[in-house]
Amino acid sequence: MMGSEERDREIEEGISGSISRSGSISSSSGLREPLVLNNNNINKRRNTTSQLAIVGANVCPIESLDYEIIENELFKQDWRSKTKNEIAQYICLKWSLSLLIGLLTALVAFFNNISVENIAGFKLLFTNNLMLTQHYHQAFLVYVSSNMILSIIAASLCAFLAPAAAGSGIPEVKAYLNGVDAQAILAPSTLFVKIFGSIFGVAAGFVVGKEGPMVHTGACIANFLGQGGSKRYRLTWKWLRHFKNDRDRRDLVTCGAAAGVAAAFRAPVGGVLFALEEAASWWRSALLWRTFFTTAVVAVVLRGFIQLCHGGKCGLFGEGGLIMFDVNSAHPAYSTPDLLVVIFLGVIGGLFGSLYNYLVDKVLRAYSIINERGPIFKVLLVMFVSFLSSCCSFGLPWLSKCIPCPPHLGDECPTIERSGQYKNFQCPPNHYNDLASLFFTTNDDAIRNLFIAGSNKRFQFASLVIFFVAIYFLGIITYGIAIPSGLFIPVILAGASYGRLVGSIVDSFTVLDVGLFALLGAASFLGGTMRMTVSLCVILLELTNNLLMLPLVMLVLLISKSVADCFNKGVYDQIVEMKGLPYMEAHAEPYMRQLIASDVVSGPLFIFSGIEKVGNIVHTLKVTRHHGFPVIDEPPLTDAPELCGLVLRSHLLVLLKHRTFTKERGMTGSSIMRKFKAHDFAKAGSGKGINLEDLDISEDEMEMYVDLHPITNGSPYTVLETMSLAKAAVLFRELGLRHLLVVPKTPARPPIVGILTRHDFMPAHVLGLYPHLDPHKQRAD
């Protein structure tokens, strides 16, 4: 219930007290002291937590999503009147939309990979040809200028057209599925920029990946298909009106996020588990089936397109264009010393991962100061990072010594005019530059080179150290600039490099191949940064096609996550917190166990009668940005004041727009039921809904009445005021609520104490009321 225009206070507030029909309140002395002593006067308590969040690189107002089913009389009438054919049509449409999400996400992924492979491939090919003729200065200028042009295009799209498309997008999708709706995060313009900005950004040689952006892209596709049509874009279909609600859109966006992971890694099961473990806050078995179906469609479609590109039919894009790092040639066999090395890798991955998250957080905060100065500064920052990345990619290979080609490889070494792990660079014939094989190529090919099995002498010790340090810090400074950028690839690159480095050190007393050590290093770094276990394990096994590595990958992920959790949160959790998105955690904070629900409700509380004067409704909507209001039935309708339910702001605006008023104060619900259908109150698509400023209500109409009973949710979720705040927080999150009504324990009180919303559970609000509960202050004392 967060308004999109108010900056300071947009959530439902409540205090106990005697409640009048006009919505005014008077103080009551019946309030009890909280379980912990506090000197604040609850009647003066207000929630002052910010309702602004950083979306992309812009500060935007945010709203909550209505995942709860609004069971008012119109909704019940609509479902009672549905025929079996209409219900079957609704079910078929849900599966059809899941099919379309999988199909379109797969097409976008294929288009992304073809574009990146060809743009980056031709750039590297042209530069390499100049290197072969020893025109090194011209090659450097071509390489840097090509990267600069591509980066400017990507940055301009993000800075001027869709700022919300910058970054990974996974934190925003995660927050959306938690119930937070930030401006434009899933808009069509964001989808467009996400696709093309990711192509140009990755092809520009940045240390970024397409995987995070693909998750955001899949979610945008799902959101667009789930709009139920949009009047703004003149795409309105009546047969899609059933999906004009946040609940069904949430399910579709979950399918889209899973499809994005499946498309990025060709890991359908990993995509389902990623949505379950990391993205979605609410899950059920029916959604599991639909998500699995969507990712299966992605896998089938991608496999079909890959077959079409065999034999160079898609330019430089071959069967290796989509991420698939086959390590089947190395058979894992391990003993006790190997397990000790794996445990060591897990510990190192946890330490490096926690440090990586700490530095990313600091860099993002520094970049926000630059980005808030305007789009031009965003582009300039991208240009600077592009120049630095290009200098590292072109300059660092000169530090490496040329290595003679292995005699058994023949024409495969050095690699000329194609991808491979034996780049000639500046070396004489029959020699290769191992550092150029990692830097002077696409990120996907660099990972393949690190994962490849065989001799540990393929890469020199010093080359692996240089590559790890460079990629580690380039990945940190690149994330946060105004381009679509994923964290998976930089983390895999850094982890695989130090994994192979460790493998080369312990080669004398281990039987595990260095390529497998690279895989375990990537797993440890992923676990240390992202703090996922099950989904990452399955993704890594699917993209490497090596199920025999399952025990070792599980072990290293568990260790790295456990070690990193001792220092800070996962990278996506940190970014969600830094952006100011009010994310509800799966667990309640320990200090919440010392409070009860009524300890954090705030005031004033605005309520309506079941039959309310139009002027009172208009006035309340003008002076507040609340999105939900309690409805109280009073005598003579009832013997005593009783809670009728909750009415939404958007539903009130529909009634006001259609002027369903009467001069006399009486029950007119039957006429409203005949005039309206449930879909008349459905949520708007991409366009704007009804605004109070657009209504023109005369003075005479202000004195008329409107019956709110047909649009009032008669079964809102309620809790007793004495419920533990920790218990209420878990209930709020698990049910995906937007409003949680707090009712008194004793009957001789007004029927409602207040309303709990997302922001009432935020640490900033709770610890602001009770600062002595702050665990950080307690540790400092």
Side-chain angles (χ1 to χ4, degrees):
M1 129 253 45
M2 296 163 275
S4 61
E5 300 167 340
E6 182 179 351
R7 290 176 176 264
D8 300 322
R9 173 68 177 147
E10 304 169 13
I11 65 170
E12 290 298 343
E13 307 162 304
I15 64 172
S16 67
S18 58
I19 308 174
S20 68
R21 182 173 54 83
S22 64
S24 63
I25 60 174
S26 60
S27 62
S28 170
S29 60
L31 293 171
R32 58 178 296 283
E33 287 296 321
L35 296 179
V36 291
L37 297 177
N38 180 61
N39 295 325
N40 291 337
N41 185 341
I42 195 171
N43 289 327
K44 297 180 180 179
R45 200 161 56 206
R46 299 184 67 88
N47 191 324
T48 57
T49 55
S50 174
Q51 308 306 307
L52 299 176
I54 300 174
V55 181
N58 282 1
V59 177
C60 302
I62 53 177
E63 294 184 358
S64 283
L65 297 166
D66 287 303
Y67 288 153
E68 180 186 356
I69 295 178
I70 308 301
E71 292 185 344
N72 54 35
E73 292 301 322
L74 284 168
F75 173 84
K76 295 176 182 178
Q77 174 182 268
D78 180 67
W79 275 101
R80 284 193 296 263
S81 63
K82 285 186 181 298
T83 64
K84 291 184 178 179
N85 288 336
E86 289 176 326
I87 295 175
Q89 182 189 49
Y90 171 66
I91 296 173
C92 290
L93 281 174
K94 289 200 294 186
W95 286 93
S96 300
L97 288 177
S98 299
L99 173 66
L100 284 175
I101 292 169
L103 178 62
L104 293 177
T105 305
L107 290 174
V108 169
F110 181 72
F111 173 71
N112 276 10
N113 280 277
I114 283 185
S115 302
V116 169
E117 292 283 324
N118 281 282
I119 294 174
F122 283 115
K123 174 192 70 178
L124 293 171
L125 181 62
F126 187 49
T127 306
N128 189 58
N129 289 337
L130 290 174
M131 295 285 291
L132 291 174
T133 58
Q134 298 184 354
H135 292 88
Y136 300 128
H137 292 91
Q138 293 92 324
F140 175 74
L141 290 175
V142 168
Y143 185 71
V144 171
S145 59
S146 299
N147 287 343
M148 189 67 69
I149 292 172
L150 292 171
S151 63
I152 291 174
I153 296 173
S156 299
L157 287 172
C158 280
F160 294 100
L161 189 56
S168 167
I170 291 180
E172 286 82 358
V173 173
K174 184 176 179 178
Y176 180 90
L177 294 176
N178 189 257
V180 179
D181 187 16
Q183 183 179 359
I185 60 173
L186 299 177
S189 58
T190 303
L191 172 61
F192 173 81
V193 174
K194 205 73 179 184
I195 295 173
F196 290 97
S198 178
I199 291 172
F200 292 119
V202 175
F206 287 111
V207 185
V208 297
K210 306 181 292 293
E211 292 62 43
M214 272 308 305
V215 175
H216 196 179
T217 298
C220 289
I221 291 172
N223 182 70
F224 180 75
L225 293 176
Q227 291 293 315
S230 173
K231 293 181 180 179
R232 179 180 179 182
Y233 297 101
R234 298 183 180 181
L235 299 172
T236 303
W237 300 287
K238 292 182 178 179
W239 51 277
L240 285 176
R241 64 175 180 264
H242 299 300
F243 295 92
K244 282 186 171 291
N245 62 83
D246 291 327
R247 187 182 179 89
D248 282 317
R249 289 181 194 174
R250 172 190 61 187
D251 290 352
L252 292 175
V253 170
T254 303
C255 293
V261 175
F265 294 108
R266 266 197 285 166
V269 179
V272 175
L273 293 176
F274 175 86
L276 171 61
E277 181 180 6
E278 181 66 12
S281 298
W282 190 84
W283 200 263
R284 67 184 192 280
S285 58
L287 181 59
L288 176 66
W289 277 102
R290 288 171 57 197
T291 307
F292 185 72
F293 170 72
T294 306
T295 57
V297 171
V298 171
V300 171
V301 173
L302 280 178
R303 177 63 64 181
F305 278 112
I306 290 172
Q307 295 296 326
L308 292 177
C309 285
H310 278 311
K313 297 179 182 177
C314 302
L316 296 179
F317 178 82
E319 60 179 316
L322 289 166
I323 299 177
M324 189 68 176
F325 313 118
D326 196 345
V327 295
N328 261 335
S329 56
H331 298 286
Y334 44 89
S335 57
T336 302
D338 301 317
L339 292 178
L340 294 177
V341 176
V342 170
I343 293 173
F344 173 75
L345 266 181
V347 174
I348 295 299
L351 294 174
F352 277 140
S354 59
L355 177 62
Y356 193 89
N357 293 357
Y358 173 80
L359 295 176
V360 164
D361 181 75
K362 297 302 180 183
V363 169
L364 287 176
R365 294 181 188 277
Y367 283 174
S368 65
I369 300 174
I370 300 174
N371 290 334
E372 68 184 8
R373 302 184 65 178
I376 297 298
F377 286 89
K378 297 178 187 178
V379 177
L380 291 175
L381 178 60
V382 172
M383 293 172 63
F384 170 76
V385 176
S386 173
F387 181 76
L388 181 62
S389 300
S390 299
C391 289
C392 289
S393 299
F394 193 92
L396 290 178
W398 292 87
L399 301 177
S400 177
K401 297 179 180 179
C402 294
I403 303 174
C405 289
H408 64 279
L409 293 177
D411 294 337
E412 294 183 8
C413 181
T415 302
I416 299 175
E417 297 187 355
R418 65 179 186 276
S419 62
Q421 73 265 31
Y422 300 103
K423 294 291 184 181
N424 180 264
F425 205 64
Q426 88 291 6
C427 293
N430 298 322
H431 288 71
Y432 72 97
N433 187 315
D434 60 340
L435 203 50
S437 301
L438 299 176
F439 273 117
F440 209 64
T441 186
T442 62
N443 293 332
D444 292 356
D445 283 337
I447 295 175
R448 290 188 187 92
N449 296 340
L450 288 168
F451 279 2
I452 197 166
S455 172
N456 62 350
K457 298 179 181 179
R458 200 180 301 266
F459 297 99
Q460 300 175 87
F461 183 87
S463 298
L464 290 174
V465 172
I466 293 172
F467 182 74
F468 168 69
V469 173
I471 289 298
Y472 190 91
F473 289 103
L474 282 176
I476 291 171
I477 67 171
T478 303
Y479 192 82
I481 61 177
I483 62 169
S485 53
L487 278 172
F488 274 96
I489 291 300
V491 170
I492 291 176
L493 279 169
S497 58
Y498 78 71
R500 194 174 183 100
L501 186 63
V502 171
S504 63
I505 295 175
V506 301
D507 181 66
S508 59
F509 60 89
T510 184
V511 295
L512 278 177
D513 187 84
V514 287
L516 298 181
F517 271 111
L519 171 61
L520 293 174
S524 70
F525 204 3
L526 284 168
T529 54
M530 300 180 183
R531 314 295 163 83
M532 294 181 285
T533 52
V534 179
S535 57
L536 276 180
C537 182
V538 174
I539 288 172
L540 286 171
L541 295 178
E542 286 188 283
L543 66 87
T544 57
N545 196 25
N546 196 334
L547 189 60
L548 297 176
M549 288 293 291
L550 175 62
L552 295 183
V553 173
M554 292 174 65
L555 178 63
V556 78
L557 281 171
L558 288 171
I559 294 174
S560 62
K561 181 185 184 302
S562 300
V563 171
D565 281 338
C566 297
F567 299 97
N568 49 33
K569 295 182 178 180
V571 63
Y572 295 133
D573 294 321
Q574 283 191 172
I575 294 172
V576 166
E577 183 177 343
M578 190 206 69
K579 287 176 175 289
L581 297 168
Y583 185 84
M584 290 287 295
E585 298 289 350
H587 60 276
E589 297 294 339
Y591 57 78
M592 290 186 176
R593 300 190 185 97
Q594 305 180 51
L595 301 170
I596 60 174
S598 62
D599 290 338
V600 297
V601 292
S602 45
L605 176 68
F606 292 87
I607 62 101
F608 293 124
S609 290
I611 303 172
E612 187 57 85
K613 183 178 289 188
V614 174
N616 288 338
I617 298 176
V618 173
H619 173 73
T620 302
L621 296 182
K622 281 183 178 180
V623 299
T624 71
R625 294 297 176 187
H626 301 169
H627 281 254
F629 302 90
V631 177
I632 305 295
D633 275 334
E634 297 176 322
L637 296 178
T638 57
D639 296 333
E642 66 179 37
L643 179 63
C644 178
L646 188 79
V647 64
L648 298 183
R649 181 187 191 93
S650 58
H651 292 183
L652 290 171
L653 290 172
V654 174
L655 282 185
L656 293 177
K657 179 182 179 181
H658 290 85
R659 291 176 168 76
T660 53
F661 313 143
T662 58
K663 293 183 178 180
E664 302 296 330
R665 190 169 185 264
M667 301 283 287
T668 59
S670 57
S671 62
I672 294 177
M673 299 282 286
R674 289 192 297 269
K675 184 176 181 179
F676 291 99
K677 299 295 182 184
H679 60 78
D680 293 326
F681 296 86
K683 185 172 182 177
S686 299
K688 293 170 59 178
I690 302 173
N691 291 321
L692 183 64
E693 293 76 14
D694 300 332
L695 303 179
D696 185 17
I697 300 177
S698 65
E699 291 295 330
D700 292 337
E701 290 173 327
M702 289 287 191
E703 299 300 320
M704 300 176 74
Y705 295 89
V706 59
D707 188 357
L708 302 181
H709 290 95
I711 64 169
T712 299
N713 181 7
S715 56
Y717 286 96
T718 61
V719 296
L720 286 175
E721 60 181 342
T722 54
M723 176 180 281
S724 161
L725 185 62
K727 189 175 180 180
V730 173
L731 176 70
F732 190 95
R733 200 252 194 193
E734 293 299 320
L735 295 176
L737 301 181
R738 188 176 187 180
H739 310 94
L740 183 60
L741 276 60
V742 181
V743 297
K745 188 173 183 179
T746 57
R749 301 262 303 278
I752 184 169
V753 174
I755 299 179
L756 288 174
T757 62
R758 177 175 300 272
H759 281 266
D760 291 313
F761 294 104
M762 292 295 107
H765 173 59
V766 179
L767 297 179
L769 295 175
Y770 308 102
H772 55 285
L773 294 178
D774 192 341
H776 300 289
K777 290 185 178 180
Q778 291 175 1
R779 284 196 292 268
D781 295 339

